[in-house]
Amino acid sequence: MQPEVDIDVQCYHCGQPCEDTTWQDDKPFCCVGCKTVYEILSANDLCDYYTYQQNPGIQLTKSIDESAYDYLNEPAIRQKLLTFNSETFGRVSFYVPTIHCVSCIWLLENLKRLDSGILKSEVNFARKHAVIDFNPEKISLARVASLMASVGYAPAITLDNDEKEKNTSSVFSADKQLIARLAIAGFCFGNVMLFSFPEYLGLEGDDSIKKIFSWLNVLLSIPVLVYADTDYLVSAWKSFKQRQINIDVPIAVGLIALFGRSLWEIVSGYGPGYFDSFTGLVFFLLVGRWFQSKTYQSLAFDRDFKSYFPLAVQRHEGTDWKPVVIYELRKGDEIKIRNMEIVPADSTVLAGEGFMDYSFVTGESKPVKISTGSYVYAGGRLIGLPVTLRVEKEISQSHLTSLWNNAIFKKPQESRYRKIIDKAAQRFTWIVLGIAILTAGYWYLADASQLWLIVTAVLMVACPCALALTTPFTYGNMLRQFGRHGLYLKNADIIERMAAVDALVFDKTGTITHGRKPVVSFTGSLSPVELANIRRLCSFSTHPLSTIISQALSQRGAGHVRDYKEIPARGIEARIGDDSYRVGSAGFTGVEHVADDSAAVVYVAINSAVRGYFQVKTSVRENLQPMIARWNGPVAMLSGDNESDRDRMRSLFGNDAQLLFNQNPHDKLNFISELQQSGKKVMMLGDGLNDSGALKQADVGIAVTDDTGVFTPSCDGILQGEKLPRLDQFINLSKSATTIVKSAFVLSFLYNAVAISFAVTGHLTPLIAAILMPLSSISVVLFTTLSVNFVASQYLKK
């Protein structure tokens, strides 16, 4: 008997307080992972976790031949499989075909409880992928695979370099199994109906023939029970063992009850049974599952690498370097990565040296030194002088997107609708089982002959899947619409936060203004060699003004650059030859008398002596004023430049907007924090260079970019510069997405209420219930998809 739950109960395995206690052998566990570890310990004759701690070398998992995975430790194979590899950190992504329910997710994401070498594991349920972070000093890649296999989740490993082909073959394999089950269920269903014709037509005849037909129906139903419906039965059994209830439990109960009742009728001679309903039920359930899988695949909102993601790099073409979008890169291409740019694909360093910041990948900010011949991984950010790389692996933007969604960059806000769905899904199955029991009691008294069919219909027709699919499909399809129109968001949860935004904060340089057709002039005295050196120095930076100056200068013959540094919001410095160069703000270069001009001013100092300044006249992006006028809420503009551009910004933003100049990154962050403390939901738009702190602090941080490869991983989205005038339309569209989610919630609840009421009153057969259950999910998916497409066409007309 399960002990009474106490609020002070501690997990028998890890000692943590139990909020949702799971019991095994009268022992409390805080989660399925802890309970599984306990079961493994027990299987290895270890009395408790303390014994294991005293004997850390003891094999915990069930016996398995680890030699089967020894080949994974070969360097060449590790290089193919690992998406990141260092002495203390490795990352691998495995396709795990046996993932099928929430229990699988729980167990796989708690692998670190089985081996301290596992740092973290995350499961992508839709793609059946598990991403495992591990410490190679404590556990080998072969051991990781063995550990997964030992708990029932053996990875399907292929060394094919074509990731798309690999995923396609994996999906096809799963589809083949489903089709095989569907074929067997369909064959048996058709023949059971054939042998049941005498009963359907009420024909009189030899009873022995009817008995033969009845026993043939039993034989035909056995493959359906032991093979075709195993997904439902296995899922329900695992859920039962873990003392959890999922949606497959009522389905499995209904199927077993229908088969058992039918078998009893034939054995006892009471009647012909319901094997036609049983086999038909399984057949239509599988048809629904197949149709759902095809629908989800066709509407998949997992963005491919060709969707809008404005990450571009310099590629060597002939005798020149030209910017290209990352998905155009191929293995063997030579690319140049500048300071603070992201490496888009696994590569080898051909020339140059510096440091690589892998915090984007591992979450640790300790830079790694690189030099000629070093292997660098996608997602690393360069610190220092530019380096030339050779691409070693085809670009994987899905990999970069997954890095962008690293937990260390996530914001604390939790999806309100996800919490509602989670609570509803947890209680739904218990409610359905309760209704089924009450229905059985009523029909047992009213008409016992109808009891089994009606109870089965109740168990079949109720489905929380439609409710669970509402939010991901609405926001997921909205992600696709945003991507098609130049706004690439990190994940679907950002849309919910966008819908709540009521205050906008803009950066100026690179956001409000842009560098297309700039006018650049220089006041001062510099030799052609010094101008060539400044051109080279500015080419190392990705700041918009540095890029403009570098492109405006044509002098050649620059010297060797060393000791390069870039200080955000201040400038860049380096030694070229025997001279020290500084290019940047007045304070950074030691200017006492600031130039009075409406253009952006960039000063030059050589050996601490100010030699002049560049005036960069940039233009304001077109059609911003109508967008700002349409916005009904607070607006602010923050700039690190001086107030020389105040009049132009005032004419753009109007008299009600706050315009703040000479703002450093810390000032911008504080301004947004103060707005939030006043109750505002803030969207910050910046260039992603000097605004990373502000973008992270904002409820929604958007990096505005044109053709640069630099963005901050702490931002929530990337907006193509020319699409900035549509910002208010994107926000309104996100509000419409929230309305669609609410409408789909209502639709789902109405379906379940109406369907269950028909089933309880005996107006719904199990076969119709089996057809309606997947149709409810598909109807919600179609409703959300069509609604999103319609509102997007209205808001985002060309």
Side-chain angles (χ1 to χ4, degrees), residues 250 430-442 455-456 458-459 760:
W430 287 108
I431 293 173
V432 171
L433 290 174
I435 292 174
I437 293 172
L438 294 175
T439 302
Y442 171 80
V455 169
T456 303
V458 171
L459 293 170
V760 167

Side-chain angles (χ1 to χ4, degrees), residues 473-586:
F473 267 90
T474 302
Y475 288 154
N477 279 286
M478 194 62 77
L479 273 184
R480 291 198 305 172
Q481 292 295 336
F482 283 159
R484 289 172 182 171
H485 293 87
L487 174 60
Y488 193 92
L489 296 180
K490 182 190 295 187
N491 55 53
D493 289 343
I494 310 301
I495 299 174
E496 188 177 331
R497 298 211 301 267
M498 278 183 62
V501 165
D502 55 9
L504 299 178
V505 178
F506 295 88
D507 175 48
K508 183 172 79 85
T509 305
T511 304
I512 298 300
T513 62
H514 63 91
R516 294 180 181 176
K517 298 180 180 179
V519 177
V520 182
S521 60
F522 178 74
T523 302
S525 176
L526 290 173
S527 68
V529 173
E530 289 171 333
L531 286 171
N533 289 339
I534 291 172
R535 176 179 181 271
R536 169 69 66 83
L537 179 60
C538 289
S539 71
F540 291 173
S541 171
T542 54
H543 190 279
L545 293 179
S546 298
T547 302
I548 291 172
I549 293 172
S550 175
Q551 293 174 347
L553 297 175
S554 58
Q555 289 79 4
R556 306 284 177 175
H560 177 68
V561 179
R562 63 184 188 278
D563 299 333
Y564 174 85
K565 293 181 182 178
E566 183 166 356
I567 296 88
R570 290 178 60 80
I572 54 179
E573 65 178 345
R575 293 195 64 82
I576 305 179
D578 296 328
D579 299 318
S580 173
Y581 282 73
R582 279 195 170 194
V583 180
S585 65

Side-chain angles (χ1 to χ4, degrees), residues 30 40 68 174 189 219 224 237 278 301 315 335 352 366 397 453 464 471 544 603 616 624 661 731 744 783 792:
C30 65
I40 294 172
F189 174 45
L219 293 176
V224 178
W237 174 246
F278 170 76
F301 49 78
R315 181 173 65 182
I335 59 176
K366 182 181 179 181
Q397 187 173 305
L453 289 178
T471 300
Y603 295 90
V616 182
L624 283 185
F661 296 87
I731 295 175
F783 169 76

Side-chain angles (χ1 to χ4, degrees), residues 577-597:
D578 296 328
D579 299 318
S580 173
Y581 282 73
R582 279 195 170 194
V583 180
S585 65
F588 182 65
T589 53
V591 173
E592 296 180 358
H593 301 288
V594 179
D596 184 13
D597 195 272

Side-chain angles (χ1 to χ4, degrees), residues 190-206:
N191 283 279
V192 167
M193 288 187 65
L194 180 64
F195 292 136
S196 300
F197 263 107
E199 296 292 338
Y200 295 157
L201 301 177
L203 300 177
E204 299 293 335
D206 190 350

